[in-house]
Amino acid sequence: MTDQDRPQYQQLLARKVEVVNVGLEGFVKDLSDCGIDVVHVDWKPSAGGDPQMAALLAKLGV
Amino acid sequence: MKLIEDANQQALARILEGEPRLIDIVPARELIPGLRERMILHAGPPISWDRMCGPMRGAVAGAIVFEGWAQDLPTATKLAANGEIEFHPNHHFGAVGPMTGMTTMSMPLFVVENARFANRAYCAINEGLGKVMRFGGNDASVLKRLAWLRDVFGPTLGKAIRAAGGIDLKSIVARGLSMGDELHQRNLACSSVFLREIAPWMARTSTDNAVLAECLAFIGQNDQFFLNIAMAMGKAITDPANGIRGSTIVTTMCRNGTDFGIRVSGLGEQWFTAPVEMPEGLYFAGYSEKDANPDMGDSAIVETIGLGGFAMAAAPAVAGFVGAGAPSEAGNFTRSMGEITVAQNPEWTIAAMDFAGVPTGIDIRLVVDSGVVPVINTGIAHREPGIGQVGAGVVKAPLACFQQAIVAIAKDLGVS
């Protein structure tokens, strides 16, 4: 089977993997320890994940 | 929501367009109608005697003796505990005060006028370091210095300020930011520039060389002298931005050693409070966290206009002094505050940030959405009355204040 015959996700993992990690920073170390290049994006859900407050903020224009 | 965006632009414009000038020093009773015998203005949101922290009680007792309402500190304390003293926040009377923030009738206050909006704000004179009333100090040395400020220094400096036709403050702040001040825990540059501007006028108006020398030395020996002027300036700048319906811009942040309080433009005089946090910082030799009082003072008005912790990048030396990390990390504080503000102030720039303006206009929506709260550079007082400052650090505004304000403004705008 050639690379072109594999499903797309398998092609992805057959090459050098580069990761953008969004949110929980803990995954960054695990991947780095495996020698994988990782860029971390510091992100949190709106209002710390409080759905009522997030809904209110959305209506107030955030 | 367009109403909010428009209101915020209006509030921001009022903050940025302020033209603050120091115009005088006047006894509080002549400036503040309603400030009378047995009435004390304090820092932070409203608080009763039974909830006051140790340093605040110590300062109250000292202020009572200073005004002659009691002969000694134990009698003064009884007077306050018996409900015979009336307490109000400085902010309700156009004033601000650092740490305990005592303002009573005979204390001389800086008068800052915002020429653009024709409003004024007041703050007491910085007492210097060591045992001082703002940190709860109340012994004879503290009261003696306050009497000298009232009888000698205040009238001397006031005369010079009037003769100078007032002192423009925005330009001093701009220069101070370029010289390593952030205007809360470092005011060395601004104090020095102020002294350079006012000294000739003091020399011209003074009739006693010994008094002149004493007064010049008092300013020159106090690196934080300018802080209280900057605080009155902050109050004069933010007051016109208050009361714009729909605006989510913060116009007041302050603390009384028990509660942290904020006010928001669109919600007028309403307070949103939560328990104040303990500063994280460095302690003077012989003291530790065990000795510290939770944060207090109206001085967070400087952060409200983009200075102090918001301008940390201008003052890398402060980052070390307040235990906030390496000087190279100072920029992270300013960048972080940029996430919760709606603009930069083009007149107050920071060289180390490629002359970006200080982050200005705290939006409660951005605070609650991101979870990033305002950071405030602060002095740390001993938890017992009468001891004074034991360190310096950084304190975070409690998120709960901003969450309450979001709920209130949503209700006011009919959003649910």
Side-chain angles (χ1 to χ4, degrees):
Chain A
M1 189 188 287
T2 65
D3 272 2
Q4 285 183 337
D5 296 328
R6 295 175 196 271
Q8 266 196 324
Y9 71 89
Q10 285 191 2
Q11 290 177 36
L12 184 70
L13 293 173
R15 296 193 297 269
K16 184 172 186 284
V17 176
E18 293 171 326
V19 177
V20 176
N21 181 71
V22 179
L24 294 176
E25 202 167 0
F27 293 123
V28 172
K29 185 176 183 305
D30 295 338
L31 291 165
S32 297
D33 288 348
C34 297
I36 295 170
D37 292 335
V38 190
V39 174
H40 178 64
V41 177
D42 186 11
W43 177 86
K44 291 176 190 169
S46 176
D50 177 339
Q52 284 183 316
M53 190 61 80
L56 213 48
L57 287 170
K59 289 174 185 168
L60 292 173
V62 172
Chain B
M1 185 182 271
K2 188 167 186 313
L3 170 70
I4 294 177
E5 303 307 332
D6 289 349
N8 283 352
Q9 283 307 308
Q10 194 181 347
L12 178 69
R14 289 191 187 181
I15 290 171
L16 295 179
E17 288 173 12
E19 296 171 14
R21 287 181 71 79
L22 176 64
I23 60 165
D24 210 342
I25 295 177
V26 179
R29 63 174 170 272
E30 296 175 29
L31 292 169
I32 301 175
L35 184 58
R36 51 188 175 267
E37 295 271 346
R38 298 198 174 194
M39 181 169 160
I40 293 178
L41 308 185
H42 59 78
I47 190 166
S48 55
W49 169 263
D50 58 304
R51 295 187 67 242
M52 283 182 189
C53 64
M56 184 75 86
R57 288 185 174 192
V60 163
I64 290 170
V65 174
F66 176 69
E67 291 293 349
W69 304 330
Q71 288 301 307
D72 52 48
L73 294 171
T75 312
T77 303
K78 277 185 193 165
L79 210 60
N82 289 341
E84 295 180 55
I85 302 293
E86 203 178 328
F87 297 109
H88 297 280
N90 282 307
H91 271 289
H92 289 183
F93 291 85
V96 282
M99 301 305 287
T100 59
M102 296 292 102
T103 306
T104 54
M105 352 178 357
S106 71
M107 292 182 182
L109 304 183
F110 287 119
V111 182
V112 171
E113 183 171 77
N114 184 342
R116 172 70 178 80
F117 298 100
N119 63 295
R120 292 180 176 185
Y122 319 114
C123 187
I125 298 167
N126 192 289
E127 305 159 79
L129 295 174
K131 277 192 179 180
V132 286
M133 186 169 279
R134 72 177 183 279
F135 284 104
N138 56 18
D139 68 13
S141 69
V142 172
L143 303 188
K144 185 180 173 190
R145 187 188 303 105
L146 286 175
W148 179 77
L149 290 174
R150 177 192 63 202
D151 300 332
V152 180
F153 184 79
T156 302
L157 183 56
K159 198 193 296 182
I161 293 168
R162 290 191 297 276
I167 301 287
D168 175 61
L169 297 177
K170 265 190 164 175
S171 64
I172 293 182
V173 173
R175 280 177 280 173
L177 286 169
S178 71
M179 296 163 72
D181 280 359
E182 42 68 86
L183 276 295
H184 199 160
Q185 283 304 301
R186 190 179 194 271
N187 281 276
L188 173 57
C190 285
S191 299
S192 302
V193 172
F194 174 76
L195 181 57
R196 197 174 69 167
E197 291 200 14
I198 201 64
W201 293 103
M202 292 173 73
R204 287 181 192 114
T205 53
S206 174
T207 53
D208 184 326
N209 273 354
V211 167
L212 173 64
E214 200 179 10
C215 292
L216 289 170
F218 181 76
I219 300 174
Q221 289 164 4
N222 180 4
D223 291 355
Q224 285 289 75
F225 184 81
F226 194 79
L227 171 61
N228 296 33
I229 300 173
M231 288 174 57
M233 175 191 73
K235 175 77 174 156
I237 285 174
T238 52
D239 272 356
N242 207 28
I244 301 171
R245 184 157 190 268
S247 174
T248 53
I249 299 296
V250 174
T251 51
T252 304
M253 293 196 294
C254 60
R255 32 311 178 228
N256 57 31
T258 303
D259 299 320
F260 192 107
I262 68 166
R263 294 191 298 185
V264 177
S265 173
L267 297 164
E269 304 301 315
Q270 196 175 345
W271 287 101
F272 300 95
T273 64
V276 70
E277 296 191 8
M278 191 70 82
E280 289 182 15
L282 299 178
Y283 290 85
F284 300 159
Y287 296 105
S288 70
E289 288 172 13
K290 294 196 304 272
D291 305 302
N293 195 77
D295 195 35
M296 59 182 177
D298 290 326
S299 52
I301 195 71
V302 300
E303 273 81 7
T304 313
I305 56 169
L307 302 172
F310 285 53
M312 191 88 91
V318 165
F321 175 60
V322 299
S328 59
E329 294 169 27
N332 294 341
F333 284 85
T334 298
R335 275 187 285 274
S336 175
M337 294 301 98
E339 293 184 25
I340 56 171
T341 45
V342 296
Q344 296 179 356
N345 186 333
E347 291 184 278
W348 289 342
T349 60
I350 301 176
M353 304 284 286
D354 295 332
F355 292 101
V358 296
T360 306
I362 303 164
D363 187 336
I364 57 170
R365 297 175 304 168
L366 300 177
V367 172
V368 175
D369 180 48
S370 66
V372 174
V373 292
V375 292
I376 295 151
N377 292 349
T378 187
I380 304 174
H382 197 285
R383 61 170 59 248
E384 298 299 328
I387 296 177
Q389 184 173 7
V390 295
V394 175
V395 71
K396 290 181 176 178
L399 186 59
C401 297
F402 300 86
Q403 291 169 327
Q404 292 167 33
I406 283 289
V407 172
I409 205 154
K411 188 178 175 190
D412 182 60
L413 298 177
V415 172
S416 60

